[in-house]
Amino acid sequence: MVFPFQRTIRPLLALVLAFLIACAAVPASAQEKKVAQKNGVDISKMGAYRALAQHIYGDFQKGDLAAAAELSTVLERLWDKAEEYGGDTALAKTNRQLFDEIDRAMDQFITLFTEAKGKSPDPARTKAAFNVYLEKLKLAD
């Protein structure tokens, strides 16, 4: 004798199994918060700084230290103008501790280029400083 629940248990288990497989198949990156972009630049508070840092690092990877140094100076000037002296919404006024953390990370990154004196900085050290700077920027988005 077959009970009624036995006829529905298999389809129900198949449905649960399909649901679990579908949930596991979603990549972790799809679960992260997506930031809107315009022309490859994140439309977020820190997006422009991130884009400049990526260009600086790209120039370094191509061996164009002069361009990396030039953009490093631009990044520092823009950061100071907007986030230190930029008025009531400047990060230095809204969250001084975070401003100082990001400022230190930025300085450690850009100093590799602004004080290179024609010598290419150590690639491992440069990549590490770049990654730390990007992680600090995420905290302020």
Side-chain angles (χ1 to χ4, degrees):
M1 175 171 197
V2 176
F3 292 102
F5 77 89
Q6 288 178 327
R7 279 183 269 165
T8 59
I9 195 78
R10 279 193 175 173
L12 183 61
L13 286 176
L15 185 63
V16 168
L17 182 61
F19 175 75
L20 291 174
I21 290 171
C23 288
V26 175
S29 62
Q31 295 173 357
E32 293 178 8
K33 183 176 100 174
K34 294 286 184 181
V35 176
Q37 288 191 341
K38 183 175 182 179
N39 298 323
V41 177
D42 294 347
I43 306 301
S44 65
K45 184 159 175 62
M46 299 292 125
Y49 308 121
R50 187 175 298 108
L52 276 170
Q54 290 165 339
H55 278 286
I56 293 165
Y57 189 70
D59 286 339
F60 161 71
Q61 289 180 311
K62 290 186 261 181
D64 192 349
L65 296 180
E70 184 178 344
L71 283 177
S72 294
T73 302
V74 170
L75 173 58
E76 184 173 34
R77 301 276 319 255
L78 287 172
W79 170 259
D80 287 345
K81 179 86 171 146
E83 301 303 332
E84 189 165 21
Y85 306 112
D88 293 338
T89 61
L91 189 59
K93 295 208 172 63
T94 60
N95 189 338
R96 186 65 196 201
Q97 180 182 351
L98 183 55
F99 170 83
D100 289 338
E101 286 180 38
I102 295 172
D103 193 57
R104 273 191 300 276
M106 180 189 65
D107 287 342
Q108 289 174 352
F109 173 59
I110 66 174
T111 299
L112 295 169
F113 307 107
T114 58
E115 297 181 4
K117 298 179 183 164
K119 288 184 164 185
S120 184
D122 176 57
R125 184 175 172 209
T126 304
K127 184 175 176 91
F130 173 66
N131 288 333
V132 167
Y133 178 56
L134 292 185
E135 287 302 314
K136 294 295 181 181
L137 286 176
K138 285 181 185 177
L139 299 174
D141 272 335

PDB file of all heavy atoms in Angstrom, residues 97-113:
ATOM      1  N   GLN A  97      39.318  59.788  11.716  1.00  0.00           N
ATOM      2  CA  GLN A  97      40.138  58.585  11.859  1.00  0.00           C
ATOM      3  C   GLN A  97      40.252  57.841  10.526  1.00  0.00           C
ATOM      4  O   GLN A  97      41.350  57.452  10.111  1.00  0.00           O
ATOM      5  CB  GLN A  97      39.558  57.653  12.920  1.00  0.00           C
ATOM      6  CG  GLN A  97      40.380  56.399  13.109  1.00  0.00           C
ATOM      7  CD  GLN A  97      39.783  55.453  14.132  1.00  0.00           C
ATOM      8  OE1 GLN A  97      38.843  55.794  14.834  1.00  0.00           O
ATOM      9  NE2 GLN A  97      40.335  54.266  14.227  1.00  0.00           N
ATOM     10  N   LEU A  98      39.140  57.686   9.826  1.00  0.00           N
ATOM     11  CA  LEU A  98      39.170  57.016   8.531  1.00  0.00           C
ATOM     12  C   LEU A  98      39.949  57.843   7.506  1.00  0.00           C
ATOM     13  O   LEU A  98      40.718  57.305   6.715  1.00  0.00           O
ATOM     14  CB  LEU A  98      37.754  56.734   8.031  1.00  0.00           C
ATOM     15  CG  LEU A  98      37.638  55.966   6.720  1.00  0.00           C
ATOM     16  CD1 LEU A  98      38.389  54.640   6.776  1.00  0.00           C
ATOM     17  CD2 LEU A  98      36.170  55.735   6.388  1.00  0.00           C
ATOM     18  N   PHE A  99      39.774  59.151   7.551  1.00  0.00           N
ATOM     19  CA  PHE A  99      40.547  60.023   6.658  1.00  0.00           C
ATOM     20  C   PHE A  99      42.040  59.788   6.856  1.00  0.00           C
ATOM     21  O   PHE A  99      42.794  59.638   5.898  1.00  0.00           O
ATOM     22  CB  PHE A  99      40.218  61.503   6.908  1.00  0.00           C
ATOM     23  CG  PHE A  99      41.152  62.436   6.198  1.00  0.00           C
ATOM     24  CD1 PHE A  99      40.961  62.764   4.866  1.00  0.00           C
ATOM     25  CD2 PHE A  99      42.261  62.966   6.850  1.00  0.00           C
ATOM     26  CE1 PHE A  99      41.846  63.605   4.195  1.00  0.00           C
ATOM     27  CE2 PHE A  99      43.150  63.800   6.201  1.00  0.00           C
ATOM     28  CZ  PHE A  99      42.941  64.121   4.863  1.00  0.00           C
ATOM     29  N   ASP A 100      42.477  59.760   8.113  1.00  0.00           N
ATOM     30  CA  ASP A 100      43.902  59.568   8.405  1.00  0.00           C
ATOM     31  C   ASP A 100      44.399  58.206   7.914  1.00  0.00           C
ATOM     32  O   ASP A 100      45.502  58.101   7.384  1.00  0.00           O
ATOM     33  CB  ASP A 100      44.169  59.725   9.900  1.00  0.00           C
ATOM     34  CG  ASP A 100      44.039  61.166  10.375  1.00  0.00           C
ATOM     35  OD1 ASP A 100      44.152  62.094   9.537  1.00  0.00           O
ATOM     36  OD2 ASP A 100      43.816  61.369  11.583  1.00  0.00           O
ATOM     37  N   GLU A 101      43.582  57.151   8.084  1.00  0.00           N
ATOM     38  CA  GLU A 101      43.965  55.820   7.613  1.00  0.00           C
ATOM     39  C   GLU A 101      44.158  55.804   6.094  1.00  0.00           C
ATOM     40  O   GLU A 101      45.148  55.279   5.590  1.00  0.00           O
ATOM     41  CB  GLU A 101      42.897  54.790   7.982  1.00  0.00           C
ATOM     42  CG  GLU A 101      42.857  54.409   9.432  1.00  0.00           C
ATOM     43  CD  GLU A 101      41.766  53.385   9.714  1.00  0.00           C
ATOM     44  OE1 GLU A 101      41.541  52.484   8.872  1.00  0.00           O
ATOM     45  OE2 GLU A 101      41.120  53.489  10.768  1.00  0.00           O
ATOM     46  N   ILE A 102      43.190  56.372   5.386  1.00  0.00           N
ATOM     47  CA  ILE A 102      43.265  56.393   3.925  1.00  0.00           C
ATOM     48  C   ILE A 102      44.421  57.277   3.470  1.00  0.00           C
ATOM     49  O   ILE A 102      45.160  56.917   2.547  1.00  0.00           O
ATOM     50  CB  ILE A 102      41.928  56.862   3.317  1.00  0.00           C
ATOM     51  CG1 ILE A 102      40.824  55.850   3.619  1.00  0.00           C
ATOM     52  CG2 ILE A 102      42.059  57.067   1.811  1.00  0.00           C
ATOM     53  CD1 ILE A 102      39.430  56.319   3.231  1.00  0.00           C
ATOM     54  N   ASP A 103      44.602  58.406   4.132  1.00  0.00           N
ATOM     55  CA  ASP A 103      45.672  59.330   3.762  1.00  0.00           C
ATOM     56  C   ASP A 103      47.041  58.665   3.918  1.00  0.00           C
ATOM     57  O   ASP A 103      47.909  58.799   3.054  1.00  0.00           O
ATOM     58  CB  ASP A 103      45.572  60.595   4.617  1.00  0.00           C
ATOM     59  CG  ASP A 103      46.442  61.713   4.093  1.00  0.00           C
ATOM     60  OD1 ASP A 103      46.270  62.100   2.914  1.00  0.00           O
ATOM     61  OD2 ASP A 103      47.303  62.196   4.858  1.00  0.00           O
ATOM     62  N   ARG A 104      47.221  57.923   5.002  1.00  0.00           N
ATOM     63  CA  ARG A 104      48.497  57.213   5.219  1.00  0.00           C
ATOM     64  C   ARG A 104      48.715  56.146   4.141  1.00  0.00           C
ATOM     65  O   ARG A 104      49.805  56.011   3.593  1.00  0.00           O
ATOM     66  CB  ARG A 104      48.530  56.567   6.608  1.00  0.00           C
ATOM     67  CG  ARG A 104      49.027  57.488   7.703  1.00  0.00           C
ATOM     68  CD  ARG A 104      49.295  56.739   8.998  1.00  0.00           C
ATOM     69  NE  ARG A 104      48.120  56.074   9.545  1.00  0.00           N
ATOM     70  CZ  ARG A 104      47.206  56.662  10.312  1.00  0.00           C
ATOM     71  NH1 ARG A 104      47.319  57.933  10.616  1.00  0.00           N
ATOM     72  NH2 ARG A 104      46.185  55.980  10.769  1.00  0.00           N
ATOM     73  N   ALA A 105      47.649  55.388   3.853  1.00  0.00           N
ATOM     74  CA  ALA A 105      47.768  54.337   2.829  1.00  0.00           C
ATOM     75  C   ALA A 105      48.066  54.946   1.457  1.00  0.00           C
ATOM     76  O   ALA A 105      48.881  54.411   0.695  1.00  0.00           O
ATOM     77  CB  ALA A 105      46.483  53.506   2.780  1.00  0.00           C
ATOM     78  N   MET A 106      47.412  56.070   1.153  1.00  0.00           N
ATOM     79  CA  MET A 106      47.665  56.743  -0.120  1.00  0.00           C
ATOM     80  C   MET A 106      49.114  57.227  -0.174  1.00  0.00           C
ATOM     81  O   MET A 106      49.799  57.036  -1.178  1.00  0.00           O
ATOM     82  CB  MET A 106      46.727  57.932  -0.306  1.00  0.00           C
ATOM     83  CG  MET A 106      46.955  58.674  -1.615  1.00  0.00           C
ATOM     84  SD  MET A 106      46.053  60.217  -1.736  1.00  0.00           S
ATOM     85  CE  MET A 106      46.833  61.169  -0.437  1.00  0.00           C
ATOM     86  N   ASP A 107      49.587  57.848   0.900  1.00  0.00           N
ATOM     87  CA  ASP A 107      50.956  58.346   0.933  1.00  0.00           C
ATOM     88  C   ASP A 107      51.968  57.213   0.740  1.00  0.00           C
ATOM     89  O   ASP A 107      52.957  57.375   0.019  1.00  0.00           O
ATOM     90  CB  ASP A 107      51.240  59.087   2.237  1.00  0.00           C
ATOM     91  CG  ASP A 107      50.555  60.444   2.296  1.00  0.00           C
ATOM     92  OD1 ASP A 107      50.146  60.965   1.235  1.00  0.00           O
ATOM     93  OD2 ASP A 107      50.414  60.985   3.415  1.00  0.00           O
ATOM     94  N   GLN A 108      51.721  56.068   1.369  1.00  0.00           N
ATOM     95  CA  GLN A 108      52.635  54.938   1.210  1.00  0.00           C
ATOM     96  C   GLN A 108      52.649  54.435  -0.230  1.00  0.00           C
ATOM     97  O   GLN A 108      53.686  53.995  -0.723  1.00  0.00           O
ATOM     98  CB  GLN A 108      52.260  53.812   2.166  1.00  0.00           C
ATOM     99  CG  GLN A 108      52.572  54.144   3.598  1.00  0.00           C
ATOM    100  CD  GLN A 108      52.080  53.103   4.576  1.00  0.00           C
ATOM    101  OE1 GLN A 108      51.368  52.168   4.221  1.00  0.00           O
ATOM    102  NE2 GLN A 108      52.454  53.268   5.837  1.00  0.00           N
ATOM    103  N   PHE A 109      51.510  54.531  -0.900  1.00  0.00           N
ATOM    104  CA  PHE A 109      51.430  54.098  -2.292  1.00  0.00           C
ATOM    105  C   PHE A 109      52.093  55.105  -3.232  1.00  0.00           C
ATOM    106  O   PHE A 109      52.983  54.759  -4.006  1.00  0.00           O
ATOM    107  CB  PHE A 109      49.965  53.864  -2.677  1.00  0.00           C
ATOM    108  CG  PHE A 109      49.734  53.571  -4.128  1.00  0.00           C
ATOM    109  CD1 PHE A 109      50.339  52.479  -4.735  1.00  0.00           C
ATOM    110  CD2 PHE A 109      48.907  54.377  -4.886  1.00  0.00           C
ATOM    111  CE1 PHE A 109      50.120  52.202  -6.079  1.00  0.00           C
ATOM    112  CE2 PHE A 109      48.680  54.104  -6.227  1.00  0.00           C
ATOM    113  CZ  PHE A 109      49.291  53.016  -6.828  1.00  0.00           C
ATOM    114  N   ILE A 110      51.702  56.365  -3.147  1.00  0.00           N
ATOM    115  CA  ILE A 110      52.183  57.339  -4.132  1.00  0.00           C
ATOM    116  C   ILE A 110      53.632  57.748  -3.901  1.00  0.00           C
ATOM    117  O   ILE A 110      54.325  58.133  -4.844  1.00  0.00           O
ATOM    118  CB  ILE A 110      51.264  58.582  -4.222  1.00  0.00           C
ATOM    119  CG1 ILE A 110      51.283  59.376  -2.936  1.00  0.00           C
ATOM    120  CG2 ILE A 110      49.865  58.174  -4.633  1.00  0.00           C
ATOM    121  CD1 ILE A 110      50.519  60.691  -3.012  1.00  0.00           C
ATOM    122  N   THR A 111      54.114  57.659  -2.678  1.00  0.00           N
ATOM    123  CA  THR A 111      55.507  58.010  -2.387  1.00  0.00           C
ATOM    124  C   THR A 111      56.470  57.108  -3.153  1.00  0.00           C
ATOM    125  O   THR A 111      57.565  57.531  -3.514  1.00  0.00           O
ATOM    126  CB  THR A 111      55.777  57.930  -0.870  1.00  0.00           C
ATOM    127  OG1 THR A 111      54.919  58.854  -0.217  1.00  0.00           O
ATOM    128  CG2 THR A 111      57.217  58.261  -0.524  1.00  0.00           C
ATOM    129  N   LEU A 112      56.029  55.889  -3.444  1.00  0.00           N
ATOM    130  CA  LEU A 112      56.857  54.980  -4.227  1.00  0.00           C
ATOM    131  C   LEU A 112      57.203  55.571  -5.591  1.00  0.00           C
ATOM    132  O   LEU A 112      58.242  55.267  -6.164  1.00  0.00           O
ATOM    133  CB  LEU A 112      56.140  53.638  -4.403  1.00  0.00           C
ATOM    134  CG  LEU A 112      55.902  52.838  -3.127  1.00  0.00           C
ATOM    135  CD1 LEU A 112      54.965  51.671  -3.405  1.00  0.00           C
ATOM    136  CD2 LEU A 112      57.224  52.359  -2.546  1.00  0.00           C
ATOM    137  N   PHE A 113      56.323  56.444  -6.103  1.00  0.00           N
ATOM    138  CA  PHE A 113      56.527  57.037  -7.425  1.00  0.00           C
ATOM    139  C   PHE A 113      57.060  58.463  -7.343  1.00  0.00           C
ATOM    140  O   PHE A 113      57.928  58.845  -8.114  1.00  0.00           O
ATOM    141  CB  PHE A 113      55.224  57.007  -8.227  1.00  0.00           C
ATOM    142  CG  PHE A 113      54.631  55.633  -8.269  1.00  0.00           C
ATOM    143  CD1 PHE A 113      53.500  55.329  -7.538  1.00  0.00           C
ATOM    144  CD2 PHE A 113      55.233  54.632  -9.003  1.00  0.00           C
ATOM    145  CE1 PHE A 113      52.972  54.048  -7.553  1.00  0.00           C
ATOM    146  CE2 PHE A 113      54.715  53.348  -9.036  1.00  0.00           C
ATOM    147  CZ  PHE A 113      53.577  53.053  -8.300  1.00  0.00           C
TER     148      PHE A 113
END
